[in-house]
Amino acid sequence: MTDLSHLRRDFPILRREDYGHPVVFLDSAASAQKPVPVLESMDRFYRSQYANVHRGAYKLSQEATEAYEDARRRVASFVNAGSPDEIIFTKGTTTALNGLASSWGIDHLEPGDRIVLSLMEHHANLVPWQLIAKRTGAELVYIPLTSEFELDLNALRATIDQRVKIVSLTGMSNVLGTIPPIQQISAIVHAQSEAILIVDGAQLVPHLPVDVQSFGADFLAFSAHKMLGPTGIGVLWGKPELLEEMEPWEGGGEMIATVGLYESTWAPVPQKFEAGTPPIAEAVGLAAAVHYLEEIGMEAVRSHDLELTAYALDRLSEVPDLIQYGPTDVTARGGVISFTLGDVHPHDIATILDSRGISVRAGHHCAKPLMADLCLAATARASFHVYNGREDVDALIAGLHEARSLFGLDEG
Ligand code: 7TS
């Protein structure tokens, strides 16, 4: 058993009580809580080192720049990038994917080209491609799921051909927890086409070790706030040769080499993609989050998730009328569990759980096409991070039994 219970005390917010109950936070897939080292790193930075970056001749600005660039090095090392220059700081996963779509997408797509997505994408990896498909005349093609809620690799094999220019897939579904086998997918995509493979790592990177050099993706996007870091910053990692040839998706200060009245030239990667004042203190907070996760070890984070998810699936299977949507093979998924409970509306489940201090998300989870495929309007969703333990799952189960009796499901 991977016991991470000692970490709980690092998260001050978990000492909160709501409606007389200690808070049971089961919504880390939406955004994770922050440990003291992350909070203190940002506080310290604002109190003693803060200035804008990449412009000051004075000591404070140089120190701030050093802290910002140190964050880039730490993130690069966290995902084993070949160089810190492969790390572009964005506002988050959404901004990274929109940037890719409007830069690489616009420049490489023509009518008749295909963009391949899966049916379990978050809207952040779906709507940007719809926008770009409309502007370029490219076509969207969706890979379905198997009855086990996994990506249908046979359908993928049958779909990938020379018409496909972009394959963009989630690294872990924020609804089903499904973790598609990216290395295997990369082998199929790169053998059968010249397409680039983009991975939406918003849920994956906070929970599993990722090595971009062996992973097989050409681009990877993720957000700090789901990995115990602050909001307002995320990352786009890309293969250096692809970043090099790509046009910037935003213009402004700090991304230029020269500016004339009618034309400009660009700064080298990564500055080319970081127009304007970047999220500086947030980069410092992200570096602290990465350090915190590294101290635990991403293998241990994964083991903890696996064990807790296996326990939760087991306990949830004891609750009558509960249907869980996601792979039953726990090794093919992460700690995100969507479910319905008889005909109780997921929002009612969430409200009853909330009255016991338990936070879960209810709704379509920004994955409406997946919900339509599952013939559901909404699910309730519990999701974990390092600070959760079996007692949180036990509280959830007790809350679900209360929901059953309140809604008369016990009377069967
Ligand atoms: N991709 C996936 C797979 C996600 O789960 C999310 C956010 C995003 C992209 C967007 O990330 P952002 O940081 O740019 O917002 N997912 C969720 C969720 O499941 N509940 O709230 C946000």
Side-chain angles (χ1 to χ4, degrees):
M1 184 70 198
T2 316
D3 184 9
L4 300 182
S5 55
H6 58 285
L7 299 179
R8 218 183 140 81
R9 70 177 85 100
D10 293 341
F11 294 81
I13 206 166
L14 300 179
R15 284 178 222 139
R16 234 180 104 109
E17 294 206 346
D18 283 328
Y19 317 111
H21 300 275
V23 71
V24 174
F25 188 74
L26 294 175
D27 196 19
S28 296
S31 200
Q33 298 300 346
K34 322 302 173 200
V36 166
V38 169
L39 305 175
E40 286 185 345
S41 70
M42 294 176 75
D43 185 59
R44 203 166 41 238
F45 179 73
Y46 272 128
R47 283 173 189 272
S48 63
Q49 277 192 312
Y50 181 75
N52 211 331
V53 294
H54 294 143
R55 52 202 92 194
Y58 52 94
K59 187 154 188 327
L60 255 189
S61 174
Q62 285 159 6
E63 273 186 35
T65 304
E66 183 47 39
Y68 181 69
E69 292 303 326
D70 182 57
R72 199 191 303 282
R73 286 191 288 276
R74 276 179 186 269
V75 172
S77 151
F78 185 64
V79 294
N80 198 31
S83 151
D85 292 347
E86 297 167 19
I87 301 296
I88 293 154
F89 286 132
T90 67
K91 255 170 41 192
T93 305
T94 302
T95 317
L97 293 170
N98 275 281
L100 261 182
S102 60
S103 170
W104 206 94
I106 289 275
D107 285 341
H108 291 83
L109 294 170
E110 290 174 4
D113 287 345
R114 292 183 148 191
I115 304 166
V116 172
L117 309 173
S118 85
L119 273 183
M120 61 180 157
E121 298 311 317
H122 185 279
H123 296 165
N125 191 31
L126 207 156
V127 183
W129 302 115
Q130 292 177 344
L131 292 169
I132 261 36
K134 221 174 224 167
R135 286 171 65 181
T136 59
E139 187 190 347
L140 293 171
V141 182
Y142 286 92
I143 306 298
L145 307 181
T146 67
S147 56
E148 256 300 293
F149 305 99
E150 292 181 23
L151 193 75
D152 186 339
L153 293 184
N154 289 329
L156 181 81
R157 268 188 214 96
T159 304
I160 303 294
D161 60 25
Q162 289 302 340
R163 287 173 296 179
V164 179
K165 295 294 174 337
I166 294 171
V167 179
S168 192
L169 298 173
T170 187
M172 184 201 292
S173 162
N174 68 315
V175 180
L176 307 169
T178 307
I179 301 177
I182 296 297
Q183 275 174 328
Q184 211 181 331
I185 290 166
S186 166
I188 296 168
V189 169
H190 291 126
Q192 297 181 198
S193 73
E194 277 153 29
I196 56 162
L197 174 60
I198 300 166
V199 174
D200 167 358
Q203 300 291 343
L204 180 73
V205 174
H207 292 275
L208 272 87
V210 172
D211 175 342
V212 290
Q213 296 192 45
S214 61
F215 193 41
D218 298 297
F219 290 101
L220 172 71
F222 53 100
S223 299
H225 70 94
K226 294 188 204 283
M227 50 196 285
L228 317 180
T231 53
I233 187 166
V235 172
L236 176 67
W237 167 82
K239 286 206 169 137
E241 61 277 17
L242 297 175
L243 293 174
E244 208 53 59
E245 61 150 84
M246 234 162 80
E247 288 291 311
W249 56 79
E250 264 187 342
E254 298 306 310
M255 51 73 72
I256 50 84
T258 61
V259 178
L261 278 181
Y262 301 104
E263 286 211 47
S264 302
T265 57
W266 315 138
V269 177
Q271 275 74 33
K272 174 167 83 172
F273 299 107
E274 294 182 2
T277 298
I280 309 167
E282 289 78 1
V284 170
L286 169 57
V290 161
H291 182 66
Y292 187 85
L293 287 170
E294 281 174 338
E295 291 275 292
I296 303 166
M298 289 308 290
E299 296 290 350
V301 172
R302 173 61 176 155
S303 304
H304 170 265
D305 278 354
L306 273 177
E307 288 162 21
L308 196 54
T309 305
Y311 178 69
L313 290 176
D314 200 37
R315 295 282 336 257
L316 286 167
S317 72
E318 293 164 12
V319 180
D321 309 306
L322 187 140
I323 299 174
Q324 186 272 130
Y325 302 89
T328 42
D329 172 9
V330 79
T331 63
R333 62 177 299 155
V336 176
I337 305 179
S338 275
F339 57 90
T340 53
L341 185 63
D343 58 3
V344 184
H345 195 284
H347 284 116
D348 290 331
I349 299 176
T351 304
I352 291 165
L353 292 174
D354 178 50
S355 71
R356 302 171 68 109
I358 305 167
S359 317
V360 299
R361 185 169 174 194
H364 54 67
H365 314 294
C366 302
K368 276 185 165 258
L370 172 62
M371 289 291 147
D373 189 53
L374 298 174
C375 301
L376 290 169
T379 67
R381 182 189 71 180
S383 54
F384 310 128
H385 218 311
V386 291
Y387 35 73
N388 293 116
R390 288 182 177 218
E391 64 286 357
D392 297 329
V393 173
D394 296 341
L396 171 69
I397 300 294
L400 292 174
H401 282 296
E402 185 190 340
R404 286 191 77 255
S405 69
L406 278 174
F407 279 89
L409 295 179
D410 272 346
E411 289 147 24

